[in-house]
Amino acid sequence: MTLTPLPEDQWDEAVDAALSRMLPAERRNPRAAGNALATMVRHPALTKAFLGFNVHLLFGSTLSPRLRELAILRVAHQRGCEYEWHHHVRMGTAAGLTESDIAAARGSATATDEFDRLLLRAVDELGEKSALSDETWAALGERLDDRQRMDLVFTVGGYTTLAMAFNTFGVQVEQ
């Protein structure tokens, strides 16, 4: 199945309102919004609701940007989501991830940092069982507080949802 980005002549006030929490006015158009958002706005009410949540994950999360991006990259790898992977490699690099960290998220290398290995294992558990083991929850708690662990669970869930949508809709990486 493929959903294409919403044609420019169909962008209206509902689309603009749906994107307003995520994008400044000058980016609320089909060229600047990117293929993912330009496709999502085929359903403005859903987009507006989901972006409220996604804005928290990206900009309000208690996780450090580095840990957030490491988790998102693992989700993108698990779900085979090229669009998510492409964009979050760039964002992860900006947040301090190294090539080695990115390879670990992809599973082609072992994370050198013990906590990174734990975080990747946590993402794997959530992907496989939709739950963290008591052992993993406790180990994460040695470095993350309850809010951070909650943000981790919701980040994995939110980006799993996006990966499912992007893969199903056939969202293409921008050229």
Side-chain angles (χ1 to χ4, degrees):
M1 172 184 287
T2 300
L3 284 177
T4 58
L6 185 69
E8 187 167 13
D9 64 349
Q10 295 177 37
W11 284 55
D12 58 17
E13 289 178 19
V15 169
D16 190 69
L19 295 176
S20 66
R21 286 197 62 194
M22 177 74 81
L23 299 178
E26 65 273 7
R27 287 203 47 217
R28 293 193 297 257
N29 63 71
R31 290 163 309 287
N35 288 339
L37 293 175
T39 300
M40 288 175 64
V41 295
R42 287 182 165 279
H43 192 331
L46 176 63
T47 300
K48 184 176 184 176
F50 190 82
L51 289 183
F53 173 56
N54 197 240
V55 164
H56 169 78
L57 297 178
L58 276 177
F59 306 114
S61 175
T62 58
L63 288 175
S64 72
R66 184 188 174 282
L67 291 179
R68 178 196 69 225
E69 292 302 321
L70 186 62
I72 292 169
L73 284 172
R74 184 60 147 220
V75 168
H77 168 70
Q78 285 175 337
R79 302 295 172 199
C81 186
E82 181 183 348
Y83 189 89
E84 203 168 70
W85 180 266
H86 175 81
H87 285 274
H88 285 276
V89 163
R90 189 170 26 105
M91 294 172 72
T93 301
L97 293 178
T98 65
E99 286 184 32
S100 175
D101 297 330
I102 293 167
R106 188 176 32 240
S108 59
T110 301
T112 56
D113 180 80
E114 183 179 344
F115 191 78
D116 286 357
R117 287 193 301 275
L118 172 63
L119 184 91
L120 294 171
R121 186 173 79 234
V123 175
D124 291 346
E125 283 184 20
L126 289 167
E128 293 165 9
K129 302 174 192 161
S130 296
L132 291 174
S133 67
D134 290 342
E135 176 187 330
T136 300
W137 178 262
L140 288 167
E142 292 176 16
R143 191 155 140 201
L144 303 178
D145 64 25
D146 288 346
R147 288 181 181 182
Q148 289 170 308
R149 290 182 290 181
M150 290 174 74
D151 274 331
L152 174 63
V153 170
F154 278 94
T155 297
V156 171
Y159 279 88
T160 297
T161 298
L162 282 173
M164 287 189 285
F166 297 163
N167 287 344
T168 299
F169 304 156
V171 176
Q172 299 295 304
V173 175
E174 295 80 6
Q175 298 302 334

